[in-house]
Amino acid sequence: MTTPIPATRFADPAPAEHLERAADALTAHGFTVEILDDVAAARARVKDLLPEGAAVFTGASETLRLSGIEADINSSGRYDAVRPRVLAMDRGSEQDEMRRLTSTPDVIVGSVHAVTETGSLVIASGSGSQLPGYAGGAARAIWIVGAQKVVPDLPTALRRVEEHCLPLETARTQAVHGWPSSVNRLLVLNAEVRPGRGTVLLLREAIGF
C-alpha cells in the first residue's frame, strides 16, 4: 500500500536517492537521463542538445518560462521556432497546418507533471497540443524536470496532478485568460522504444509546478 503524501509535500525537492532511483528506472525504460544541479546547467545543456536551425516546439510549461529556456528557443533566432509561428497563424483557416507543425517538429522541449521512481513520465494537458509530439510525433523530445516532481509511483503521480498542479495552473489561467484550467487529457509514458529519442534532464532543485 502506498503511504499517503500530503499535497504540500509535492512542492519539496526529492532527496538525492529518490532522484537516482527515478533516473535508474527511466534509463532501464529506454530514456536518456541526466541529473543536473540547477536551472543554469539545464539551460546550457538544452542549448548543447538542440541543433541550430532545427524546428523546435516548446510545450506550454512554467518550467521553460521560469528557467529562460522558452525565450532561448523562441527568441534567439538559432532555431526554426514553431510556437511563434503557430501563434501568428489564423486558427480558423490554418488549423490543419498548426496541428501538423506542433505534432511533428524535429524536437519538442517541455516538462512533465510527475516522474515516478518506477520509471514513468506523467503529463496532463487542457488542450493536448503538446501531447502528440511527446508521445512520438517529434523526432526527439527533451523534458526539463524539477526535483519536486519525483514521486514514488503512478497513483501518487496522479494525485500530484490533481491536488498540486491543477490548482496552481488554474490560478495562472484565471489570471492570464480569465478561465480555470482542467485535466482534459493525460499522457503516461512508461518507456521509450526509440533509442536516444527521449531525454530527461532531472534537476536537483525545484522549478515549475
Side-chain angles (χ1 to χ4, degrees), residues 71-155:
D72 289 344
I73 293 170
N74 294 329
S75 304
S76 67
R78 290 192 296 267
Y79 316 106
D80 177 8
V82 173
R83 180 169 287 278
R85 290 173 60 189
V86 168
L87 291 176
M89 296 171 78
D90 182 87
R91 289 183 175 273
S93 62
E94 298 180 287
Q95 186 65 43
D96 283 346
E97 181 62 15
M98 293 168 67
R99 174 175 49 80
R100 283 189 286 268
L101 286 169
T102 58
S103 297
T104 58
D106 296 328
V107 188
I108 186 166
V109 181
S111 189
V112 304
H113 293 97
V115 176
T116 73
E117 293 176 36
T118 53
S120 296
L121 304 177
V122 177
I123 306 105
S125 178
S127 69
S129 62
Q130 75 275 45
L131 300 188
Y134 286 166
R140 292 179 60 202
I142 301 170
W143 296 280
I144 299 90
V145 184
Q148 83 280 17
K149 298 182 180 184
V150 173
V151 297
D153 50 32
L154 187 56

Side-chain angles (χ1 to χ4, degrees), residues 142-199:
I142 301 170
W143 296 280
I144 299 90
V145 184
Q148 83 280 17
K149 298 182 180 184
V150 173
V151 297
D153 50 32
L154 187 56
T156 312
L158 298 179
R159 279 189 53 216
R160 186 178 196 279
V161 168
E162 293 288 345
E163 297 177 14
H164 180 76
C165 302
L166 181 57
L168 291 172
E169 178 62 7
T170 285
R172 188 192 72 81
T173 57
Q174 285 282 18
V176 175
H177 304 294
W179 61 72
S181 185
S182 55
V183 179
N184 294 329
R185 292 162 175 82
L186 192 68
L187 177 66
V188 179
L189 300 176
N190 289 322
E192 178 52 70
V193 297
R194 290 155 54 188
R197 177 188 177 269
T199 298

Side-chain angles (χ1 to χ4, degrees), residues 34 42 44-51 79 107 140 142 199 201:
E34 299 179 29
R45 188 66 181 120
V46 168
K47 186 177 179 180
D48 290 340
L49 290 170
L50 292 178
Y79 316 106
V107 188
R140 292 179 60 202
I142 301 170
T199 298
L201 302 181

Side-chain angles (χ1 to χ4, degrees), residues 1-79:
M1 177 179 289
T2 302
T3 302
I5 298 177
T8 53
R9 289 284 305 280
F10 290 135
D12 297 337
E17 60 269 23
H18 294 251
L19 268 66
E20 294 287 351
R21 276 202 292 269
D24 288 346
L26 288 167
T27 300
H29 291 177
F31 297 96
T32 299
V33 185
E34 299 179 29
I35 298 179
L36 304 176
D37 285 338
D38 53 29
V39 168
R43 196 171 178 178
R45 188 66 181 120
V46 168
K47 186 177 179 180
D48 290 340
L49 290 170
L50 292 178
E52 192 164 338
V56 183
F57 178 49
T58 53
S61 164
E62 282 296 281
T63 296
L64 294 195
R65 185 184 69 81
L66 294 169
S67 66
I69 292 172
E70 181 180 77
D72 289 344
I73 293 170
N74 294 329
S75 304
S76 67
R78 290 192 296 267
Y79 316 106

